[in-house]
Amino acid sequence: MENVVMITFDVEAQAYQAFSQLKNDSVNSAYTILQMAVIKNGDGKIVPVDGFDSGIDSTDDTWTGGLIGSVVGILGGLLGASIGLLTGSIMDANDADDNSSLILYGSQALGEGKTAIVALVQESDEKAFDLRLADYRCTITRWDAGEIADEVEQAEEQQKQLAKEAREKLRAQKKADREKERAEKRAAIHQKFEDFKARL
């Protein structure tokens, strides 16, 4: 089964240790890791710290392409304050209770200073992957990769819509500001005529 796995750590250093361990053993009889990234919440913004890619989704072996790159991009604050609007528009209210949304779960689980690994993994045995992380103080959460791919697609579409609305709002504001400036200039020109006529 193909899963997107998020591993949140209580100790930051352990996230890097686990990442290195998983990277060095990314293919075995129990699981295969296609993509993986370490992300951290610093100053209220989730940022990527390190990554790994098999090279399937990109020609230069960078992890920023593909599903995990998209997930990290969304969690990374590309939506800014709109993440609440985004999550509300692509999921049922009950999703928050059963962790069916990676975006909502990730935005809540990754509090200030928290570090996590997000990975695209094919597993024949989930216990084997969990056992690999048994030495670390961490929480492992899984989602069906197909469902997350669909969620990411919806999120990206919603992001585009929110960006479009923001641009339109900005244009409208600029237009209103310009109209105000024009009105002030008209008033100043009109006053010059009035001042001139008053001298006659």
Side-chain angles (χ1 to χ4, degrees):
M1 172 127 183
E2 289 75 34
N3 294 316
V4 173
V5 183
M6 177 175 283
I7 311 142
T8 52
F9 293 83
D10 295 333
V11 180
E12 182 179 350
Q14 290 191 354
Y16 302 110
Q17 293 169 7
F19 174 80
S20 179
Q21 187 177 21
L22 291 170
K23 181 179 178 180
N24 291 332
D25 186 27
S26 61
V27 180
N28 57 55
S29 60
Y31 62 81
T32 300
I33 301 172
L34 202 64
Q35 273 193 325
M36 182 170 54
V38 180
I39 54 178
K40 179 183 178 181
N41 185 337
D43 298 323
K45 184 175 181 180
I46 299 170
V47 295
V49 181
D50 202 351
F52 160 78
D53 188 273
S54 63
I56 296 298
D57 281 332
S58 58
T59 56
D60 55 1
D61 294 351
T62 58
W63 63 271
T64 51
L67 182 57
I68 294 303
S70 296
V71 168
V72 173
I74 292 168
L75 288 175
L78 294 178
L79 305 176
S82 299
I83 193 162
L85 294 173
L86 171 77
T87 53
S89 67
I90 62 174
M91 69 192 71
D92 186 88
N94 295 325
D95 287 347
D97 297 326
D98 61 16
N99 293 336
S100 63
S101 165
L102 183 154
I103 295 172
L104 184 57
Y105 175 84
S107 65
Q108 293 176 342
L110 280 168
E112 180 67 35
K114 278 279 190 178
T115 307
I117 292 173
V118 186
L120 178 57
V121 188
Q122 184 183 67
E123 300 176 275
S124 60
D125 183 1
E126 293 181 0
K127 291 180 181 178
F129 188 86
D130 292 354
L131 188 61
R132 204 78 169 91
L133 299 162
D135 293 336
Y136 304 107
R137 291 167 53 193
C138 62
T139 301
I140 304 170
T141 309
R142 287 176 173 82
W143 295 267
D144 175 87
E147 293 179 3
I148 297 308
D150 185 57
E151 181 181 354
V152 164
E153 183 177 334
Q154 292 182 62
E156 289 175 338
E157 286 301 316
Q158 185 65 20
Q159 181 184 5
K160 290 176 184 176
Q161 182 61 34
L162 291 169
K164 179 181 177 183
E165 291 173 4
R167 287 194 301 271
E168 290 174 351
K169 184 176 180 180
L170 182 61
R171 278 197 294 266
Q173 183 60 50
K174 285 183 177 179
K175 184 177 180 181
D177 291 344
R178 296 300 300 173
E179 186 54 42
K180 180 181 177 182
E181 291 177 7
R182 291 188 187 104
E184 291 172 350
K185 287 180 172 62
R186 290 189 195 102
I189 293 169
H190 176 77
Q191 189 59 48
K192 288 179 181 179
F193 276 100
E194 294 302 312
D195 291 343
F196 175 68
K197 288 190 287 184
R199 294 178 188 175
L200 299 177

